[in-house]
Amino acid sequence: MFVRPLVIGVPSLLDNEKCDNMALLKRLGGNSGNMLFTEALLRLIVGSKWQPNSLHDADGDCVVVAAANWLNPGDDFGWLADEIEKSRLPAFIVGIGAQSSLRKEIPRIEPGTVRLLKVVAERSGAISTRGPFSSEVLEHYGIKNSVPTGCPSLLLCGPQGPAFNKGVLGPQIVLHGTRHGNFAGGEFQSYFYRQAFALKKEILLQSELVDLEIATGIAPYDIEPADAHMVNRTYAAGPYPNLVQFLRTKAAFFYNLEKWISYARKKDFFVGTRIHATVLSLIAGTPAVLIAHDSRTEELAEVMGVPYVRPDKIDTNAPLDCEGLFEIFKNSDFGKYRAYRTKFLEFFRENGFTASNE
């Protein structure tokens, strides 16, 4: 059994880490949701510790990579393949996923990422994927030893799984959409930002840099005009000062996991397209429904038993039906959690790890 596993990923940050918003997002791998699955591995695998990306002189007996939707065109992880090759340590990938549409087309993967997969496949019993489609993608690229486990993040619920104490829909509803950096997310994603503004509900940010700059008051009137216009159009906020006021009072962003959980416990319902915003709320015991907008979010919801609907169930020409979505949550069966957890614990044991809450 391994006793000193090194986890490569994005851990929860501390309050004394003084960074600007761009640096914070960089530390979080561009998305605050990344810390959920990294923290899950650090808290569940006995003896594990966080390892910065370089493995030079690393003091451990194996490498565990907390992966995300890396099976896509654009992200090349050849640098990590180099690090692992040089280390000569046994290596494992946990929770890697494919990025594709709901039609599940096999995505193109960058050569460096394929090389990483092959190096790890040779050094481990199996690669953990986010679902059956991600395993199918790996097989397409010649990687045949994978297991569709889902993401380890929901394991933070513990042996019993999600537990809720809210049976009725309250007024504290938090919405979330999917946009990255300074880029618009398209009309469907914009719907959730527009609805947050129109309904005066809180909006949870994970990777929206311009929104975060405005929300924190760093430079709400010194932002590039094109960026400010894009965000203002996304929220359909009208005069720009309306957007500034809204984001300063209604936007939430977290780089510390415990603070995020504490926030979520005080809310009544989360709904939107972010899988890890949904998972976090379930960990906190707060009702949530995911809008599964791509292959990645849908397969995770299926494997992990996360309540979800497809985008065609959302009428973007009408106000968001929070009551109807809450009914979907109430009718959800969390019976898949036990099988999900059991499969993950088997994966850990078969690959030489001891889980802390087995």
Side-chain angles (χ1 to χ4, degrees), residues 91-138:
F92 304 86
I93 289 177
V94 180
I96 197 165
Q99 184 76 55
S100 185
S101 76
L102 287 168
R103 294 187 297 274
K104 295 183 170 61
E105 305 95 340
I106 299 292
R108 179 176 65 81
I109 301 178
E110 299 296 340
T113 303
V114 174
R115 186 161 60 86
L116 168 67
L117 292 166
K118 291 184 175 179
V119 169
V120 173
E122 291 171 359
R123 298 193 185 187
S124 63
I127 289 175
S128 149
T129 69
R130 292 190 162 186
F133 174 65
S134 294
S135 287
E136 180 185 331
V137 172
L138 288 190

mmCIF file of all heavy atoms in Angstrom, residues 91-138:
data_model
loop_
_atom_site.group_PDB
_atom_site.id
_atom_site.type_symbol
_atom_site.label_atom_id
_atom_site.label_comp_id
_atom_site.label_asym_id
_atom_site.label_seq_id
_atom_site.Cartn_x
_atom_site.Cartn_y
_atom_site.Cartn_z
ATOM 1 N N ALA A 91 2.075 6.262 -11.005
ATOM 2 C CA ALA A 91 1.234 7.438 -11.210
ATOM 3 C C ALA A 91 -0.204 7.031 -11.496
ATOM 4 O O ALA A 91 -0.459 6.002 -12.127
ATOM 5 C CB ALA A 91 1.771 8.280 -12.364
ATOM 6 N N PHE A 92 -1.134 7.855 -11.017
ATOM 7 C CA PHE A 92 -2.568 7.579 -11.150
ATOM 8 C C PHE A 92 -3.280 8.867 -11.561
ATOM 9 O O PHE A 92 -2.908 9.964 -11.143
ATOM 10 C CB PHE A 92 -3.139 7.073 -9.825
ATOM 11 C CG PHE A 92 -2.427 5.858 -9.307
ATOM 12 C CD1 PHE A 92 -1.276 5.996 -8.533
ATOM 13 C CD2 PHE A 92 -2.873 4.589 -9.613
ATOM 14 C CE1 PHE A 92 -0.594 4.887 -8.062
ATOM 15 C CE2 PHE A 92 -2.201 3.466 -9.156
ATOM 16 C CZ PHE A 92 -1.059 3.612 -8.380
ATOM 17 N N ILE A 93 -4.318 8.710 -12.373
ATOM 18 C CA ILE A 93 -5.191 9.822 -12.728
ATOM 19 C C ILE A 93 -6.578 9.517 -12.183
ATOM 20 O O ILE A 93 -7.105 8.416 -12.385
ATOM 21 C CB ILE A 93 -5.256 10.023 -14.255
ATOM 22 C CG1 ILE A 93 -3.932 10.589 -14.776
ATOM 23 C CG2 ILE A 93 -6.405 10.952 -14.633
ATOM 24 C CD1 ILE A 93 -3.884 10.760 -16.284
ATOM 25 N N VAL A 94 -7.166 10.502 -11.496
ATOM 26 C CA VAL A 94 -8.490 10.322 -10.901
ATOM 27 C C VAL A 94 -9.459 11.357 -11.474
ATOM 28 O O VAL A 94 -9.208 12.561 -11.408
ATOM 29 C CB VAL A 94 -8.439 10.445 -9.363
ATOM 30 C CG1 VAL A 94 -9.834 10.252 -8.774
ATOM 31 C CG2 VAL A 94 -7.473 9.423 -8.774
ATOM 32 N N GLY A 95 -10.558 10.877 -12.047
ATOM 33 C CA GLY A 95 -11.644 11.761 -12.463
ATOM 34 C C GLY A 95 -11.430 12.518 -13.746
ATOM 35 O O GLY A 95 -11.962 13.617 -13.906
ATOM 36 N N ILE A 96 -10.703 11.957 -14.696
ATOM 37 C CA ILE A 96 -10.504 12.666 -15.967
ATOM 38 C C ILE A 96 -11.768 12.547 -16.814
ATOM 39 O O ILE A 96 -12.458 11.520 -16.794
ATOM 40 C CB ILE A 96 -9.266 12.127 -16.716
ATOM 41 C CG1 ILE A 96 -8.831 13.122 -17.786
ATOM 42 C CG2 ILE A 96 -9.510 10.733 -17.300
ATOM 43 C CD1 ILE A 96 -7.436 12.879 -18.334
ATOM 44 N N GLY A 97 -12.085 13.614 -17.542
ATOM 45 C CA GLY A 97 -13.332 13.628 -18.307
ATOM 46 C C GLY A 97 -13.167 14.176 -19.709
ATOM 47 O O GLY A 97 -12.235 14.933 -19.997
ATOM 48 N N ALA A 98 -14.091 13.781 -20.570
ATOM 49 C CA ALA A 98 -14.109 14.270 -21.946
ATOM 50 C C ALA A 98 -14.996 15.501 -22.052
ATOM 51 O O ALA A 98 -16.024 15.597 -21.388
ATOM 52 C CB ALA A 98 -14.622 13.180 -22.881
ATOM 53 N N GLN A 99 -14.577 16.440 -22.900
ATOM 54 C CA GLN A 99 -15.367 17.637 -23.165
ATOM 55 C C GLN A 99 -16.007 17.485 -24.539
ATOM 56 O O GLN A 99 -15.318 17.447 -25.550
ATOM 57 C CB GLN A 99 -14.470 18.878 -23.147
ATOM 58 C CG GLN A 99 -15.230 20.179 -23.315
ATOM 59 C CD GLN A 99 -15.965 20.575 -22.040
ATOM 60 O OE1 GLN A 99 -15.371 20.681 -20.981
ATOM 61 N NE2 GLN A 99 -17.264 20.771 -22.153
ATOM 62 N N SER A 100 -17.328 17.358 -24.567
ATOM 63 C CA SER A 100 -18.042 17.198 -25.819
ATOM 64 C C SER A 100 -19.472 17.683 -25.620
ATOM 65 O O SER A 100 -19.880 18.015 -24.504
ATOM 66 C CB SER A 100 -18.025 15.726 -26.263
ATOM 67 O OG SER A 100 -18.613 15.566 -27.538
ATOM 68 N N SER A 101 -20.236 17.709 -26.703
ATOM 69 C CA SER A 101 -21.631 18.123 -26.601
ATOM 70 C C SER A 101 -22.482 16.965 -26.102
ATOM 71 O O SER A 101 -21.997 15.842 -25.914
ATOM 72 C CB SER A 101 -22.138 18.575 -27.974
ATOM 73 O OG SER A 101 -22.379 17.444 -28.804
ATOM 74 N N LEU A 102 -23.763 17.215 -25.923
ATOM 75 C CA LEU A 102 -24.673 16.151 -25.506
ATOM 76 C C LEU A 102 -24.821 15.074 -26.574
ATOM 77 O O LEU A 102 -25.345 13.990 -26.289
ATOM 78 C CB LEU A 102 -26.042 16.738 -25.144
ATOM 79 C CG LEU A 102 -26.086 17.522 -23.825
ATOM 80 C CD1 LEU A 102 -27.383 18.313 -23.707
ATOM 81 C CD2 LEU A 102 -25.925 16.583 -22.633
ATOM 82 N N ARG A 103 -24.354 15.336 -27.780
ATOM 83 C CA ARG A 103 -24.364 14.310 -28.832
ATOM 84 C C ARG A 103 -23.203 13.339 -28.679
ATOM 85 O O ARG A 103 -23.139 12.318 -29.356
ATOM 86 C CB ARG A 103 -24.330 14.970 -30.208
ATOM 87 C CG ARG A 103 -25.581 15.785 -30.530
ATOM 88 C CD ARG A 103 -25.563 16.280 -31.973
ATOM 89 N NE ARG A 103 -24.438 17.183 -32.207
ATOM 90 C CZ ARG A 103 -24.470 18.495 -31.958
ATOM 91 N NH1 ARG A 103 -25.562 19.052 -31.457
ATOM 92 N NH2 ARG A 103 -23.419 19.253 -32.191
ATOM 93 N N LYS A 104 -22.273 13.677 -27.810
ATOM 94 C CA LYS A 104 -21.145 12.811 -27.458
ATOM 95 C C LYS A 104 -20.256 12.456 -28.660
ATOM 96 O O LYS A 104 -19.957 11.295 -28.916
ATOM 97 C CB LYS A 104 -21.637 11.538 -26.748
ATOM 98 C CG LYS A 104 -22.294 11.808 -25.402
ATOM 99 C CD LYS A 104 -22.694 10.508 -24.714
ATOM 100 C CE LYS A 104 -23.127 10.740 -23.270
ATOM 101 N NZ LYS A 104 -24.289 11.606 -23.141
ATOM 102 N N GLU A 105 -19.784 13.488 -29.359
ATOM 103 C CA GLU A 105 -18.783 13.261 -30.398
ATOM 104 C C GLU A 105 -17.419 13.020 -29.727
ATOM 105 O O GLU A 105 -17.092 13.654 -28.738
ATOM 106 C CB GLU A 105 -18.673 14.476 -31.320
ATOM 107 C CG GLU A 105 -19.986 14.919 -31.951
ATOM 108 C CD GLU A 105 -20.670 16.024 -31.176
ATOM 109 O OE1 GLU A 105 -20.348 16.201 -29.975
ATOM 110 O OE2 GLU A 105 -21.533 16.701 -31.767
ATOM 111 N N ILE A 106 -16.637 12.117 -30.287
ATOM 112 C CA ILE A 106 -15.293 11.868 -29.751
ATOM 113 C C ILE A 106 -14.451 13.120 -29.983
ATOM 114 O O ILE A 106 -14.265 13.555 -31.122
ATOM 115 C CB ILE A 106 -14.627 10.665 -30.446
ATOM 116 C CG1 ILE A 106 -15.442 9.379 -30.231
ATOM 117 C CG2 ILE A 106 -13.189 10.487 -29.938
ATOM 118 C CD1 ILE A 106 -15.446 8.874 -28.813
ATOM 119 N N PRO A 107 -13.943 13.748 -28.929
ATOM 120 C CA PRO A 107 -13.164 14.983 -29.114
ATOM 121 C C PRO A 107 -11.737 14.697 -29.569
ATOM 122 O O PRO A 107 -11.184 13.619 -29.307
ATOM 123 C CB PRO A 107 -13.172 15.606 -27.719
ATOM 124 C CG PRO A 107 -13.247 14.428 -26.798
ATOM 125 C CD PRO A 107 -14.097 13.398 -27.499
ATOM 126 N N ARG A 108 -11.147 15.671 -30.233
ATOM 127 C CA ARG A 108 -9.717 15.597 -30.519
ATOM 128 C C ARG A 108 -8.960 15.887 -29.225
ATOM 129 O O ARG A 108 -9.328 16.772 -28.463
ATOM 130 C CB ARG A 108 -9.346 16.630 -31.586
ATOM 131 C CG ARG A 108 -7.851 16.631 -31.943
ATOM 132 C CD ARG A 108 -7.569 17.608 -33.064
ATOM 133 N NE ARG A 108 -7.833 18.992 -32.680
ATOM 134 C CZ ARG A 108 -6.994 19.748 -31.987
ATOM 135 N NH1 ARG A 108 -5.827 19.243 -31.560
ATOM 136 N NH2 ARG A 108 -7.311 20.992 -31.700
ATOM 137 N N ILE A 109 -7.914 15.124 -28.967
ATOM 138 C CA ILE A 109 -7.096 15.313 -27.771
ATOM 139 C C ILE A 109 -5.683 15.695 -28.199
ATOM 140 O O ILE A 109 -5.138 15.125 -29.151
ATOM 141 C CB ILE A 109 -7.066 14.035 -26.904
ATOM 142 C CG1 ILE A 109 -8.484 13.636 -26.478
ATOM 143 C CG2 ILE A 109 -6.197 14.239 -25.672
ATOM 144 C CD1 ILE A 109 -8.529 12.367 -25.671
ATOM 145 N N GLU A 110 -5.100 16.633 -27.496
ATOM 146 C CA GLU A 110 -3.756 17.099 -27.832
ATOM 147 C C GLU A 110 -2.724 15.984 -27.617
ATOM 148 O O GLU A 110 -2.865 15.152 -26.708
ATOM 149 C CB GLU A 110 -3.389 18.312 -26.982
ATOM 150 C CG GLU A 110 -4.304 19.512 -27.173
ATOM 151 C CD GLU A 110 -4.255 20.081 -28.575
ATOM 152 O OE1 GLU A 110 -3.267 19.823 -29.300
ATOM 153 O OE2 GLU A 110 -5.210 20.788 -28.963
ATOM 154 N N PRO A 111 -1.672 15.960 -28.436
ATOM 155 C CA PRO A 111 -0.661 14.895 -28.345
ATOM 156 C C PRO A 111 -0.045 14.748 -26.953
ATOM 157 O O PRO A 111 0.207 13.635 -26.480
ATOM 158 C CB PRO A 111 0.388 15.313 -29.383
ATOM 159 C CG PRO A 111 -0.362 16.154 -30.355
ATOM 160 C CD PRO A 111 -1.410 16.881 -29.555
ATOM 161 N N GLY A 112 0.221 15.882 -26.295
ATOM 162 C CA GLY A 112 0.823 15.805 -24.962
ATOM 163 C C GLY A 112 -0.106 15.144 -23.956
ATOM 164 O O GLY A 112 0.345 14.420 -23.060
ATOM 165 N N THR A 113 -1.399 15.378 -24.090
ATOM 166 C CA THR A 113 -2.375 14.744 -23.194
ATOM 167 C C THR A 113 -2.447 13.251 -23.464
ATOM 168 O O THR A 113 -2.532 12.442 -22.524
ATOM 169 C CB THR A 113 -3.756 15.399 -23.366
ATOM 170 O OG1 THR A 113 -3.646 16.800 -23.122
ATOM 171 C CG2 THR A 113 -4.765 14.798 -22.400
ATOM 172 N N VAL A 114 -2.410 12.848 -24.738
ATOM 173 C CA VAL A 114 -2.391 11.418 -25.066
ATOM 174 C C VAL A 114 -1.155 10.769 -24.467
ATOM 175 O O VAL A 114 -1.219 9.660 -23.902
ATOM 176 C CB VAL A 114 -2.433 11.213 -26.596
ATOM 177 C CG1 VAL A 114 -2.269 9.738 -26.939
ATOM 178 C CG2 VAL A 114 -3.741 11.746 -27.175
ATOM 179 N N ARG A 115 -0.024 11.451 -24.552
ATOM 180 C CA ARG A 115 1.209 10.892 -23.980
ATOM 181 C C ARG A 115 1.094 10.751 -22.469
ATOM 182 O O ARG A 115 1.515 9.740 -21.890
ATOM 183 C CB ARG A 115 2.397 11.795 -24.355
ATOM 184 C CG ARG A 115 3.756 11.245 -23.937
ATOM 185 C CD ARG A 115 4.861 11.919 -24.733
ATOM 186 N NE ARG A 115 4.874 13.355 -24.529
ATOM 187 C CZ ARG A 115 5.514 13.954 -23.531
ATOM 188 N NH1 ARG A 115 6.186 13.240 -22.637
ATOM 189 N NH2 ARG A 115 5.501 15.272 -23.437
ATOM 190 N N LEU A 116 0.480 11.746 -21.796
ATOM 191 C CA LEU A 116 0.261 11.645 -20.353
ATOM 192 C C LEU A 116 -0.583 10.414 -20.026
ATOM 193 O O LEU A 116 -0.264 9.645 -19.109
ATOM 194 C CB LEU A 116 -0.440 12.904 -19.839
ATOM 195 C CG LEU A 116 -0.986 12.838 -18.414
ATOM 196 C CD1 LEU A 116 0.152 12.729 -17.398
ATOM 197 C CD2 LEU A 116 -1.862 14.051 -18.106
ATOM 198 N N LEU A 117 -1.655 10.223 -20.767
ATOM 199 C CA LEU A 117 -2.547 9.088 -20.525
ATOM 200 C C LEU A 117 -1.800 7.766 -20.681
ATOM 201 O O LEU A 117 -1.979 6.844 -19.879
ATOM 202 C CB LEU A 117 -3.725 9.147 -21.480
ATOM 203 C CG LEU A 117 -4.711 10.298 -21.263
ATOM 204 C CD1 LEU A 117 -5.628 10.458 -22.460
ATOM 205 C CD2 LEU A 117 -5.515 10.074 -19.996
ATOM 206 N N LYS A 118 -0.969 7.681 -21.691
ATOM 207 C CA LYS A 118 -0.247 6.430 -21.936
ATOM 208 C C LYS A 118 0.800 6.164 -20.863
ATOM 209 O O LYS A 118 0.992 5.022 -20.436
ATOM 210 C CB LYS A 118 0.367 6.450 -23.336
ATOM 211 C CG LYS A 118 -0.698 6.376 -24.426
ATOM 212 C CD LYS A 118 -0.121 6.297 -25.826
ATOM 213 C CE LYS A 118 -1.253 6.099 -26.836
ATOM 214 N NZ LYS A 118 -0.761 6.031 -28.231
ATOM 215 N N VAL A 119 1.475 7.219 -20.421
ATOM 216 C CA VAL A 119 2.459 7.051 -19.339
ATOM 217 C C VAL A 119 1.775 6.545 -18.077
ATOM 218 O O VAL A 119 2.230 5.587 -17.434
ATOM 219 C CB VAL A 119 3.178 8.391 -19.052
ATOM 220 C CG1 VAL A 119 3.995 8.298 -17.765
ATOM 221 C CG2 VAL A 119 4.075 8.773 -20.216
ATOM 222 N N VAL A 120 0.647 7.173 -17.707
ATOM 223 C CA VAL A 120 -0.052 6.776 -16.485
ATOM 224 C C VAL A 120 -0.679 5.403 -16.642
ATOM 225 O O VAL A 120 -0.682 4.593 -15.697
ATOM 226 C CB VAL A 120 -1.111 7.832 -16.117
ATOM 227 C CG1 VAL A 120 -1.958 7.353 -14.941
ATOM 228 C CG2 VAL A 120 -0.442 9.154 -15.780
ATOM 229 N N ALA A 121 -1.211 5.091 -17.821
ATOM 230 C CA ALA A 121 -1.804 3.769 -18.047
ATOM 231 C C ALA A 121 -0.790 2.653 -17.840
ATOM 232 O O ALA A 121 -1.132 1.558 -17.364
ATOM 233 C CB ALA A 121 -2.391 3.696 -19.455
ATOM 234 N N GLU A 122 0.461 2.935 -18.181
ATOM 235 C CA GLU A 122 1.518 1.934 -18.002
ATOM 236 C C GLU A 122 1.928 1.778 -16.545
ATOM 237 O O GLU A 122 2.422 0.716 -16.143
ATOM 238 C CB GLU A 122 2.745 2.333 -18.825
ATOM 239 C CG GLU A 122 2.537 2.238 -20.330
ATOM 240 C CD GLU A 122 3.688 2.850 -21.107
ATOM 241 O OE1 GLU A 122 4.635 3.371 -20.449
ATOM 242 O OE2 GLU A 122 3.650 2.820 -22.354
ATOM 243 N N ARG A 123 1.713 2.822 -15.735
ATOM 244 C CA ARG A 123 2.209 2.814 -14.358
ATOM 245 C C ARG A 123 1.126 2.566 -13.320
ATOM 246 O O ARG A 123 1.409 2.578 -12.121
ATOM 247 C CB ARG A 123 2.889 4.151 -14.043
ATOM 248 C CG ARG A 123 4.100 4.436 -14.919
ATOM 249 C CD ARG A 123 4.903 5.595 -14.366
ATOM 250 N NE ARG A 123 5.997 5.972 -15.247
ATOM 251 C CZ ARG A 123 6.925 6.866 -14.938
ATOM 252 N NH1 ARG A 123 6.873 7.483 -13.761
ATOM 253 N NH2 ARG A 123 7.887 7.153 -15.785
ATOM 254 N N SER A 124 -0.127 2.385 -13.749
ATOM 255 C CA SER A 124 -1.200 2.190 -12.772
ATOM 256 C C SER A 124 -2.114 1.055 -13.230
ATOM 257 O O SER A 124 -2.103 0.658 -14.400
ATOM 258 C CB SER A 124 -2.015 3.477 -12.618
ATOM 259 O OG SER A 124 -2.642 3.818 -13.834
ATOM 260 N N GLY A 125 -2.914 0.559 -12.285
ATOM 261 C CA GLY A 125 -3.849 -0.508 -12.624
ATOM 262 C C GLY A 125 -4.974 -0.022 -13.507
ATOM 263 O O GLY A 125 -5.450 -0.745 -14.384
ATOM 264 N N ALA A 126 -5.431 1.208 -13.280
ATOM 265 C CA ALA A 126 -6.538 1.752 -14.060
ATOM 266 C C ALA A 126 -6.571 3.265 -13.917
ATOM 267 O O ALA A 126 -6.124 3.823 -12.908
ATOM 268 C CB ALA A 126 -7.865 1.161 -13.600
ATOM 269 N N ILE A 127 -7.121 3.923 -14.933
ATOM 270 C CA ILE A 127 -7.367 5.359 -14.891
ATOM 271 C C ILE A 127 -8.834 5.572 -14.534
ATOM 272 O O ILE A 127 -9.722 4.958 -15.121
ATOM 273 C CB ILE A 127 -7.044 6.008 -16.253
ATOM 274 C CG1 ILE A 127 -5.525 6.014 -16.474
ATOM 275 C CG2 ILE A 127 -7.596 7.432 -16.329
ATOM 276 C CD1 ILE A 127 -5.110 6.517 -17.848
ATOM 277 N N SER A 128 -9.086 6.432 -13.563
ATOM 278 C CA SER A 128 -10.455 6.768 -13.161
ATOM 279 C C SER A 128 -10.995 7.866 -14.068
ATOM 280 O O SER A 128 -10.371 8.908 -14.234
ATOM 281 C CB SER A 128 -10.457 7.230 -11.694
ATOM 282 O OG SER A 128 -11.465 8.179 -11.445
ATOM 283 N N THR A 129 -12.179 7.616 -14.670
ATOM 284 C CA THR A 129 -12.792 8.610 -15.546
ATOM 285 C C THR A 129 -14.098 9.109 -14.943
ATOM 286 O O THR A 129 -14.659 8.505 -14.032
ATOM 287 C CB THR A 129 -13.085 8.041 -16.941
ATOM 288 O OG1 THR A 129 -14.151 7.076 -16.846
ATOM 289 C CG2 THR A 129 -11.861 7.396 -17.549
ATOM 290 N N ARG A 130 -14.612 10.199 -15.516
ATOM 291 C CA ARG A 130 -15.835 10.809 -15.002
ATOM 292 C C ARG A 130 -17.099 10.078 -15.435
ATOM 293 O O ARG A 130 -18.185 10.384 -14.937
ATOM 294 C CB ARG A 130 -15.881 12.276 -15.416
ATOM 295 C CG ARG A 130 -14.794 13.082 -14.715
ATOM 296 C CD ARG A 130 -14.935 14.577 -14.888
ATOM 297 N NE ARG A 130 -14.138 15.256 -13.874
ATOM 298 C CZ ARG A 130 -14.134 16.560 -13.680
ATOM 299 N NH1 ARG A 130 -14.900 17.334 -14.430
ATOM 300 N NH2 ARG A 130 -13.395 17.096 -12.733
ATOM 301 N N GLY A 131 -16.979 9.111 -16.335
ATOM 302 C CA GLY A 131 -18.151 8.368 -16.748
ATOM 303 C C GLY A 131 -17.865 7.477 -17.937
ATOM 304 O O GLY A 131 -16.749 7.464 -18.488
ATOM 305 N N PRO A 132 -18.868 6.705 -18.370
ATOM 306 C CA PRO A 132 -18.675 5.755 -19.473
ATOM 307 C C PRO A 132 -18.233 6.401 -20.778
ATOM 308 O O PRO A 132 -17.432 5.826 -21.516
ATOM 309 C CB PRO A 132 -20.059 5.106 -19.614
ATOM 310 C CG PRO A 132 -20.712 5.278 -18.291
ATOM 311 C CD PRO A 132 -20.211 6.579 -17.758
ATOM 312 N N PHE A 133 -18.751 7.586 -21.093
ATOM 313 C CA PHE A 133 -18.341 8.231 -22.335
ATOM 314 C C PHE A 133 -16.859 8.593 -22.291
ATOM 315 O O PHE A 133 -16.134 8.416 -23.289
ATOM 316 C CB PHE A 133 -19.183 9.478 -22.610
ATOM 317 C CG PHE A 133 -18.708 10.263 -23.799
ATOM 318 C CD1 PHE A 133 -18.757 9.718 -25.075
ATOM 319 C CD2 PHE A 133 -18.196 11.540 -23.652
ATOM 320 C CE1 PHE A 133 -18.301 10.432 -26.185
ATOM 321 C CE2 PHE A 133 -17.749 12.267 -24.753
ATOM 322 C CZ PHE A 133 -17.801 11.706 -26.021
ATOM 323 N N SER A 134 -16.377 9.087 -21.154
ATOM 324 C CA SER A 134 -14.950 9.415 -21.042
ATOM 325 C C SER A 134 -14.097 8.162 -21.197
ATOM 326 O O SER A 134 -13.027 8.200 -21.827
ATOM 327 C CB SER A 134 -14.670 10.098 -19.700
ATOM 328 O OG SER A 134 -15.293 11.357 -19.634
ATOM 329 N N SER A 135 -14.558 7.036 -20.666
ATOM 330 C CA SER A 135 -13.830 5.778 -20.862
ATOM 331 C C SER A 135 -13.848 5.366 -22.331
ATOM 332 O O SER A 135 -12.852 4.843 -22.865
ATOM 333 C CB SER A 135 -14.452 4.673 -19.999
ATOM 334 O OG SER A 135 -14.135 4.862 -18.629
ATOM 335 N N GLU A 136 -14.965 5.623 -23.003
ATOM 336 C CA GLU A 136 -15.049 5.332 -24.442
ATOM 337 C C GLU A 136 -14.041 6.176 -25.216
ATOM 338 O O GLU A 136 -13.401 5.687 -26.162
ATOM 339 C CB GLU A 136 -16.473 5.623 -24.928
ATOM 340 C CG GLU A 136 -16.704 5.372 -26.405
ATOM 341 C CD GLU A 136 -18.095 5.798 -26.841
ATOM 342 O OE1 GLU A 136 -19.025 5.771 -26.016
ATOM 343 O OE2 GLU A 136 -18.238 6.173 -28.028
ATOM 344 N N VAL A 137 -13.890 7.431 -24.838
ATOM 345 C CA VAL A 137 -12.919 8.302 -25.499
ATOM 346 C C VAL A 137 -11.502 7.775 -25.282
ATOM 347 O O VAL A 137 -10.688 7.721 -26.213
ATOM 348 C CB VAL A 137 -13.057 9.753 -24.997
ATOM 349 C CG1 VAL A 137 -11.921 10.626 -25.531
ATOM 350 C CG2 VAL A 137 -14.408 10.328 -25.414
ATOM 351 N N LEU A 138 -11.193 7.365 -24.050
ATOM 352 C CA LEU A 138 -9.866 6.808 -23.783
ATOM 353 C C LEU A 138 -9.610 5.576 -24.639
ATOM 354 O O LEU A 138 -8.522 5.402 -25.190
ATOM 355 C CB LEU A 138 -9.725 6.460 -22.301
ATOM 356 C CG LEU A 138 -9.591 7.617 -21.317
ATOM 357 C CD1 LEU A 138 -9.222 7.090 -19.937
ATOM 358 C CD2 LEU A 138 -8.552 8.622 -21.764
#
